[in-house]
Amino acid sequence: YSTIGGGCCNTASSDSSTIGGGQSNTASGNCSTVGGGENSTASGDGSTVSGGIVNTSSGLYSTVSGGGFSTASGNYSTVGGGFLNTASGLYSGILGGTSNHTCGFANSFIVGSNLNATAACTTFMNNLNVKDNTELGSAVTNTHSFTGSLNIQGSGSVVFDIQGSQGQLFSITDNLSGSLFAVNDISGIPVLEVFSDDTVKLGTFGSEGLIVT
């Protein structure tokens, strides 16, 4: 019970496969769909190519939404669009851009261009601009690595806050007067504090061993 809605030179060869239109498209997987476009193939069971040109969804329940010359070969993988992208890992995804590859890593995601995944369960991107609050990790054992520069912009009492398993370790406030930043001990009391008048205090709070003014 395959269906071809229109177009030219299209082939729907498997059970419940569908081609909406376009040219030279193939829906060869069971329950697969090609919405339109040109020279695209949905060969995985339950796979979908919504449109575009020379796109392939060969993984089970994989999806290529559009763009060109892209492939979703991992089972349950997704390519949102763009050009020359390949989502080959299980449950992997590429939002768009060009020349990206998840390189077989499961649950890997790419946002940007010219990126290759190097680890599973990881998101890769060229740049990240975050507004409002951001939390990295849910446990103190999580590790986050940054390559290049980290630019943090914000407003409010605390712009940058590092919390350990036993309390606040380091913070920077959105204030250019008074205390600028502090490093705390286990009780949350500053052991290192820098002030806007160039004063630096180091040691036990209230009886510092070193005060530079």
Side-chain angles (χ1 to χ4, degrees), residues 40 46 65 83 93 107 121 150-151 171 181 201:
S40 292
S65 296
F83 184 72
N107 298 292
C121 301
L150 177 63
N151 185 1
S171 67
F181 76 84
K201 295 183 178 181

Side-chain angles (χ1 to χ4, degrees), residues 52-184:
I53 182 171
V54 197
N55 292 315
T56 302
S57 56
S58 55
L60 292 174
Y61 304 102
S62 60
T63 300
V64 178
S65 296
F69 296 88
S70 294
T71 300
S73 57
N75 293 340
Y76 309 97
S77 63
T78 299
V79 175
F83 184 72
L84 290 173
N85 294 313
T86 301
S88 56
L90 178 68
Y91 301 113
S92 65
I94 298 174
L95 179 62
T98 183
S99 304
N100 298 305
H101 200 313
T102 60
C103 299
F105 289 101
N107 298 292
S108 60
F109 299 91
I110 292 178
V111 181
S113 291
N114 302 301
L115 296 171
N116 291 322
T118 57
C121 301
T122 304
T123 299
F124 302 86
M125 62 185 64
N126 298 116
N127 299 287
L128 176 64
N129 187 343
V130 178
K131 183 179 180 181
D132 298 324
N133 297 328
T134 301
E135 180 177 341
L136 300 177
S138 58
V140 294
T141 55
N142 295 142
T143 299
H144 303 278
S145 299
F146 297 91
T147 300
S149 61
L150 177 63
N151 185 1
I152 299 175
Q153 298 182 8
S155 62
S157 59
V158 178
V159 175
F160 188 57
D161 182 25
I162 298 178
Q163 296 282 342
S165 60
Q166 300 184 40
Q168 185 185 68
L169 301 177
F170 178 78
S171 67
I172 298 177
T173 61
D174 180 27
N175 193 345
L176 294 180
S177 63
S179 178
L180 299 180
F181 76 84
V183 179
N184 300 332

